[in-house]
Amino acid sequence: MVREEGKVLYAELPENLRQVIITGHGSISTDALVLLSTYGVDLILIDWKGKVVSRLSAPEMRTVFTRREQYIAYKDSRSGYLAKAFVLAKMKNQKALLGTFAKNRKETDSAAAERITHFKNVIEDLITRLEAFEPASIDTSRPSILGFEGSASSTYWDGIKEVVPEELKFDERSGRGALDPFNSMLNYGYGVLEGETWRAVHYAGLDPYGGFLHADRPGKPSMVLDLMEEFRQQLVDRTVISLASKKVVTSKDFQIEEGFCRLSDEARRALLKELLGKMEEYLAVGEEKMRWCDLILSKSRDVAQYLRGEVNNYNGFYLRW
């Protein structure tokens, strides 16, 4: 139950919840924390920069076998194989999203459509070259895989610039501590996606800090960051661009604070509503339909199955164009 000044704003049974996100100011009782944990509901705290600053979840439910294989895999070719799979899926989603934007502008702005198509084709060529790359262990393969990833991302954001309203002053992709509104929205959206992916990695029995594509660093959830690469474009980028294009969020929804661009509370609520609603939407995956949140959990379990040797390959998620 959520209250503000004694008034009940929202009430829901715990068995109907998957995750609770706290952003901004507020408090939560210890009884509520115990109840959430009992029902396996994650509690995520995200700051205004889009960083996941705290996560509370139920105790581990899996055996240690998955994590042992995850650590062993770092030294063999499975680590390079998975890193390549994550990046390939990311690049295919980048290509698909640019293809959609180009198609939508073919009749209304053919020049922009042509430029976007050029960027899509560059990424397509990079995909072909990465598919031919034979990975070894990640320490050997990471520089090459990151080279493909960096080239594709630079091209992708050049294409995205064509569809972002000029008033949001997007010039290039920057990480946390954004200086422009569009990057500020992206960072916040990625924080929400990180929380959802962290939950999935946890319930798949994986170590969230034991990634392959992202190098080890204290406090860095590398496996979470690895897996969420597949979902950034279709879940977050698309949602942020839609809100900006429809003028739901405009330049008036931002202010400079501590030298960084900060979303207004109203704009943050609008972005959260869209993203969380998207997580509950169904999409076709092969012969079945599943929610986006269930798809992220499914891909986490696929990674765990591959590491345990129960399947021979891992196919990253991407939408065809």
Side-chain angles (χ1 to χ4, degrees), residues 253-302:
D253 289 303
F254 301 86
Q255 61 182 5
I256 300 298
E257 188 168 316
E258 301 174 15
F260 301 115
C261 190
R262 178 171 180 164
L263 274 164
S264 68
D265 290 343
E266 186 177 340
R268 194 163 59 242
R269 278 195 287 271
L271 180 52
L272 260 179
K273 181 181 177 183
E274 286 295 313
L275 277 175
L276 297 180
K278 184 88 173 177
M279 290 288 182
E280 301 298 325
E281 290 181 4
Y282 283 82
L283 74 159
V285 182
E287 299 296 319
E288 60 179 319
K289 287 188 175 182
M290 63 172 67
R291 296 181 303 173
W292 281 95
C293 57
D294 295 328
L295 174 62
I296 296 173
L297 178 58
S298 174
K299 299 315 293 182
S300 298
R301 287 172 171 160
D302 287 350

Side-chain angles (χ1 to χ4, degrees), residues 8 84 141 143-144 181 260 314-315:
V8 176
K84 174 184 170 180
S141 303
S144 298
F260 301 115
Y314 170 78
N315 296 311

Side-chain angles (χ1 to χ4, degrees), residues 13 38 41 48 51 62 70 90 127 157 177 188 261 302:
L13 294 173
T38 301
V41 181
W48 63 270
K51 181 181 180 183
R62 304 283 304 200
Q70 185 179 353
K90 174 181 183 177
I127 290 171
W157 291 116
Y188 196 79
C261 190
D302 287 350

Side-chain angles (χ1 to χ4, degrees), residues 85-135:
F86 296 142
V87 171
L88 262 180
K90 174 181 183 177
M91 290 165 63
K92 289 179 179 179
N93 278 312
Q94 290 173 332
K95 172 194 160 190
L97 199 53
L98 291 181
T100 299
F101 289 141
K103 182 180 179 182
N104 292 343
R105 284 156 180 77
K106 193 172 182 179
E107 301 297 329
T108 58
D109 190 346
S110 58
E114 194 170 320
R115 291 193 294 273
I116 296 170
T117 299
H118 163 72
F119 295 126
K120 176 185 78 70
N121 291 339
V122 172
I123 293 176
E124 187 170 17
D125 177 63
L126 289 165
I127 290 171
T128 301
R129 291 165 55 194
L130 179 56
E131 284 176 333
F133 175 72
E134 291 290 338

Side-chain angles (χ1 to χ4, degrees), residues 12-238:
E12 186 60 81
L13 294 173
E15 56 264 40
N16 294 334
L17 298 174
R18 183 180 73 256
Q19 189 177 78
V20 172
I21 297 176
I22 296 180
T23 179
H25 301 291
S27 61
I28 185 168
S29 70
T30 52
D31 287 343
L33 293 176
V34 171
L35 190 63
L36 293 176
S37 184
T38 301
Y39 283 88
V41 181
D42 280 11
L43 179 71
I44 306 290
L45 275 74
I46 301 177
D47 70 8
W48 63 270
K49 293 180 182 176
K51 181 181 180 183
V52 176
V53 294
S54 180
R55 177 176 177 276
L56 183 70
S57 66
E60 301 289 344
M61 299 181 195
R62 304 283 304 200
T63 66
V64 299
F65 183 58
T66 302
R67 290 192 176 205
R68 281 184 177 160
E69 286 300 317
Q70 185 179 353
Y71 303 142
I72 294 171
Y74 188 90
K75 294 293 185 183
D76 61 43
S77 62
R78 287 178 293 176
S79 55
Y81 172 86
L82 282 173
K84 174 184 170 180
F86 296 142
V87 171
L88 262 180
K90 174 181 183 177
M91 290 165 63
K92 289 179 179 179
N93 278 312
Q94 290 173 332
K95 172 194 160 190
L97 199 53
L98 291 181
T100 299
F101 289 141
K103 182 180 179 182
N104 292 343
R105 284 156 180 77
K106 193 172 182 179
E107 301 297 329
T108 58
D109 190 346
S110 58
E114 194 170 320
R115 291 193 294 273
I116 296 170
T117 299
H118 163 72
F119 295 126
K120 176 185 78 70
N121 291 339
V122 172
I123 293 176
E124 187 170 17
D125 177 63
L126 289 165
I127 290 171
T128 301
R129 291 165 55 194
L130 179 56
E131 284 176 333
F133 175 72
E134 291 290 338
S137 67
I138 189 59
D139 281 341
T140 302
S141 303
R142 183 181 286 117
S144 298
I145 295 173
L146 286 179
F148 285 108
E149 191 270 345
S151 297
S153 290
S154 176
T155 304
Y156 171 72
W157 291 116
D158 282 342
I160 293 299
K161 271 195 292 189
E162 297 284 342
V163 301
V164 178
E166 288 186 13
E167 68 165 322
L168 296 185
K169 301 175 181 176
F170 175 63
D171 185 45
E172 62 180 359
R173 175 71 188 119
S174 63
R176 292 196 177 98
L179 302 176
D180 65 275
F182 189 71
N183 271 303
S184 180
M185 292 175 71
L186 287 175
N187 291 342
Y188 196 79
Y190 292 150
V192 175
L193 175 59
E194 183 181 333
E196 186 70 43
T197 309
W198 203 319
R199 174 184 181 275
V201 165
H202 171 76
Y203 283 103
L206 295 162
D207 182 343
Y209 297 95
F212 304 121
L213 177 65
H214 292 82
D216 293 347
R217 190 181 302 167
K220 184 179 180 179
S222 296
M223 175 50 74
V224 176
L225 298 175
D226 279 7
L227 192 65
M228 65 184 275
E229 294 291 359
E230 302 177 8
F231 301 99
R232 290 177 186 266
Q233 301 75 36
Q234 302 293 352
L235 271 172
V236 179
D237 300 357
R238 195 168 196 156

